Amino acid sequence: MTDSNRSAAILEVRGLQVALPSDADRPHAIEGLDLRIEAGRTLCIVGESGSGKSVLATTVMGLLAKGLTLKAGQVILSGETLVEQGRFVSDKRLRQLRGTGMGMVFQEPMTALNPVLTCGEQVDELLRTHTTWSAAERKAHIISIFERVRLPEPARIHASYPHQLSGGQRQRIVIAMAIILKPRLLICDEPTTALDVTTQAEILKLIAELQAEQGSAVLFITHDMGVVAEIADDVMVMHRGALIEQGPCEQVLRSPREAYTRMLLDAVPGMTPPPARSLPGGKPLLSGTGVGKVYTRRDWMGRAKHNTALQDASVSVHRGETVGVVGESGSGKSTFARCMIRLIAPSAGSILWGDAEVRDLPEGRLRPLRSRVQVVFQDPNRSLNPRRTVGSSMVEGAMNFGLSKLHARQTAEELMDRIQLPRTALERYPHQFSGGQRQRLAIARAIACQPQVLVADEAVSALDVSVQAQILDLLREIQRDLGLGILFITHDLRVAAQLCDRVIVMSQGRIVEQGPTGQVFSAPANDYTRRLLAAAPRAELASRQ
């Protein structure tokens, strides 16, 4: 390849090597990596957690995390060298390029946005740094870009704080900040992982449109092979810091050369549900009828304003059954689940845990019953106390519901065998485990309380596909052995297709459709359900052809 051809690349990385701390499980986060992206093309990087994907992105941006050390390699942006012989260019030059030469969309907008500044102020700060525009010009440009990323009521959004917006709206703010100065390189680090399928589809379409308009190169990091199939021109597969396979999207997804790539593809759940299972039936372990939730707040004059988050929702979960609840962000599915487990007080309806009516029970009388229904949340970091060993967290939960310390410890040890972690790991702290391992521990902690029903609220949405498959297998195994009922809240329709016996579809606080999963997915009766299914990235890849 000639030098003139090489100069046409927006981003080139040559021989990049980034070292991990001395006590890590391997020497390097990235080992001898090369890549090249041309204008108007999208390179998707895939791999399991810990493969080095995000380290690559932060290295290119000059935002290398504390503890990581740049050892060797080159990073070249539009012909300008940013990294040479293991050294970054000056911090001043990197700050100048962030926003104008390269922009980054982070996975979690709530950590990327400042909670004490309005959205408009945060974008304005970027423009004040990189332009000489007047305040009026900056505001007009911000309103224009908010319209461009399809934010409703741009003037209101400009004056709103991040917590006042939905997840999809916050992600659009982060995208607006990344593209407002039309950078030549756009880096997207898992930008759609926590989004429902319709919002995800809109975000992916938006990125493609902006790329076409601005001629940008896109480096897109994801663990979702369905997203890769939708947007990638080229694909790079990474594992433990090393390049495993790369090539055009169709070649990598349809005819992968490496066993590791085939494993990732095989772990992607399909949209076709398996045949219906034979279930034990009997009386419901958890049921709700006509459940509703109205939030009331008062304005500065003391006038009450009511917001109806949930209306007339009903569900029943039987022994050995998994019931899925799906819908867009703001559809009411998490509100429904939190009412059913009495984390929030419902405003209407009846809720039964077995034969016990719990809707209006005070916490003092409710607490002895809580062992019947346990919860696994999306983020295990918030479920496990970082100051306590995982063993003490498990034992504490079991003892709270009547087990002796000895019995609780024995239960914890047996659960470690079930989740395929060594019993010695009970003496370790949550930060000493990977994300998938922490989620296994969160499930084990819930099971230690010997529940009848497990409520999983987006329990696998933030995990890469191979770890996600392992957690789903674990849930199936536990359910089979213990006869648990599972209420599974998810925005991932592919996971719902593979795990759930019945599915409930929610929109704007109401149930719009429900039934056996195979029936709902193959012949949806409601227009909203049809739109939801149509928005899911195609996932029938490689071995499913």
Side-chain angles (χ1 to χ4, degrees):
M1 184 175 290
T2 66
D3 288 342
S4 61
N5 285 337
R6 282 193 174 277
S7 65
I10 297 295
L11 176 67
E12 280 191 278
V13 176
R14 304 173 187 169
L16 186 65
Q17 186 178 85
V18 178
L20 286 165
S22 58
D23 61 347
D25 63 344
R26 65 179 195 267
H28 296 100
I30 296 178
E31 178 63 59
L33 189 70
D34 299 313
L35 68 82
R36 171 186 171 89
I37 317 176
E38 298 174 356
R41 293 189 70 81
T42 297
L43 171 65
C44 277
I45 301 183
V46 299
E48 296 173 287
S49 298
S51 63
K53 309 185 299 292
S54 294
V55 174
L56 171 62
T58 54
T59 302
V60 171
M61 291 291 293
L63 298 171
L64 203 58
K66 185 178 180 181
L68 300 179
T69 306
L70 184 60
K71 288 291 189 181
Q74 283 184 308
V75 175
I76 303 169
L77 179 68
S78 296
E80 180 178 351
T81 299
L82 306 185
V83 172
E84 182 76 65
Q85 296 180 343
R87 295 174 61 90
F88 286 104
V89 297
S90 69
D91 288 342
K92 178 180 179 182
R93 181 55 182 156
L94 286 171
R95 286 194 298 270
Q96 290 172 341
L97 288 171
R98 292 182 199 127
T100 54
M102 51 188 175
M104 186 163 178
V105 181
F106 295 91
Q107 175 177 351
E108 178 45 68
M110 278 305 281
T111 58
L113 296 172
N114 189 328
V116 300
L117 294 178
T118 66
C119 296
E121 288 173 326
Q122 296 187 59
V123 185
D124 188 63
E125 184 178 26
L126 182 69
L127 297 184
R128 290 199 311 270
T129 301
H130 291 285
T131 73
T132 57
W133 299 341
S134 68
E137 288 174 320
R138 294 196 305 270
K139 183 171 182 178
H141 203 71
I142 294 168
I143 296 294
S144 174
I145 202 69
F146 283 2
E147 291 174 347
R148 184 68 192 85
V149 298
R150 297 188 182 86
L151 281 165
E153 303 176 80
R156 177 182 64 81
I157 297 288
H158 186 279
S160 298
Y161 291 89
H163 74 272
Q164 296 174 306
L165 308 181
S166 71
Q169 289 171 340
R170 288 193 293 264
Q171 194 63 285
R172 284 177 168 87
I173 295 293
V174 174
I175 291 174
M177 293 178 70
I179 58 120
I180 193 167
L181 293 173
K182 299 185 177 181
R184 291 160 286 178
L185 173 68
L186 183 62
I187 300 174
C188 302
D189 188 2
E190 302 276 12
T192 62
T193 294
L195 303 180
D196 60 71
V197 289
T198 52
T199 304
Q200 174 179 264
E202 292 173 1
I203 294 295
L204 294 178
K205 182 180 179 183
L206 171 62
I207 290 172
E209 289 176 355
L210 294 170
Q211 179 187 34
E213 289 178 10
Q214 300 175 185
S216 305
V218 175
L219 177 65
F220 199 103
I221 295 167
T222 183
H223 65 249
D224 190 328
M225 290 295 189
V227 169
V228 173
E230 292 283 321
I231 68 168
D233 296 306
D234 304 287
V235 179
M236 173 182 287
V237 182
M238 293 182 67
H239 178 56
R240 294 178 63 85
L243 172 64
I244 299 298
E245 181 168 359
Q246 65 177 328
C249 178
E250 286 294 313
Q251 179 265 304
V252 173
L253 297 189
R254 307 297 174 187
S255 305
R257 293 187 295 268
E258 301 297 327
Y260 179 76
T261 309
R262 290 193 292 273
M263 181 276 291
L264 289 179
L265 292 169
D266 288 341
V268 179
M271 285 287 285
T272 303
R277 299 186 298 161
S278 176
L279 298 171
K283 297 179 67 173
L285 302 176
L286 173 72
S287 62
T289 306
V291 180
K293 178 62 180 176
V294 178
Y295 290 99
T296 302
R297 65 181 181 88
R298 297 187 179 276
D299 63 17
W300 63 278
M301 293 182 65
R303 294 174 299 196
K305 293 191 175 183
H306 304 290
N307 174 35
T308 302
L310 184 68
Q311 300 180 65
D312 196 26
S314 299
V315 66
S316 62
V317 182
H318 298 79
R319 177 179 170 81
E321 179 185 38
T322 301
V323 178
V325 184
V326 302
E328 297 173 288
S329 298
S331 64
K333 56 187 189 294
S334 288
T335 300
F336 188 19
R338 287 166 187 263
C339 285
M340 291 300 299
I341 58 181
R342 280 295 313 272
L343 287 185
I344 56 176
S347 306
S350 169
I351 296 173
L352 295 175
W353 294 357
D355 294 325
E357 171 61 65
V358 301
R359 179 199 147 184
D360 295 320
L361 277 187
E363 184 59 35
R365 293 177 59 193
L366 187 64
R367 185 174 181 181
L369 302 176
R370 284 203 176 276
S371 63
R372 299 185 184 183
V373 181
Q374 289 291 298
V375 194
V376 180
F377 294 103
Q378 176 177 350
D379 186 358
N381 291 326
R382 298 182 183 181
S383 304
L384 299 169
N385 189 331
R387 296 177 179 272
R388 305 189 68 171
T389 65
V390 296
S392 64
S393 291
M394 274 195 222
V395 169
E396 177 194 37
M399 289 178 64
N400 283 343
F401 295 110
L403 267 67
S404 68
K405 187 172 183 179
L406 178 61
H407 190 186
R409 178 71 186 193
Q410 290 173 341
T411 300
E413 291 176 349
E414 291 167 1
L415 285 169
M416 294 301 280
D417 297 338
R418 183 179 288 279
I419 66 174
Q420 299 177 0
L421 287 174
R423 293 187 176 192
T424 54
L426 288 168
E427 308 310 320
R428 292 158 59 186
Y429 290 86
H431 73 272
Q432 295 175 290
F433 298 90
S434 69
Q437 289 172 332
R438 283 194 293 268
Q439 196 63 294
R440 286 172 177 271
L441 290 164
I443 292 171
R445 183 174 182 267
I447 298 302
C449 298
Q450 301 180 342
Q452 298 174 352
V453 177
L454 195 64
V455 178
D457 190 358
E458 300 284 9
V460 298
S461 64
L463 304 176
D464 60 64
V465 288
S466 58
V467 176
Q468 183 182 86
Q470 294 167 12
I471 297 298
L472 294 179
D473 286 342
L474 175 63
L475 288 172
R476 292 187 190 99
E477 178 187 322
I478 289 172
Q479 183 179 56
R480 182 183 65 244
D481 294 347
L482 304 181
L484 291 177
I486 298 178
L487 184 63
F488 196 87
I489 316 301
T490 184
H491 66 252
D492 192 328
L493 297 178
R494 293 169 298 183
V495 170
Q498 297 305 309
L499 186 68
C500 300
D501 300 295
R502 290 188 294 119
V503 67
I504 292 171
V505 184
M506 297 193 67
S507 175
Q508 297 182 337
R510 291 181 176 272
I511 294 175
V512 298
E513 184 167 357
Q514 60 182 310
T517 306
Q519 174 186 314
V520 172
F521 274 63
S522 63
N526 187 276
D527 286 341
Y528 174 78
T529 308
R530 287 192 283 271
R531 291 197 302 272
L532 208 61
L533 292 167
R538 82 181 189 268
E540 314 307 313
L541 306 172
S543 62
R544 296 188 174 90
Q545 295 306 298

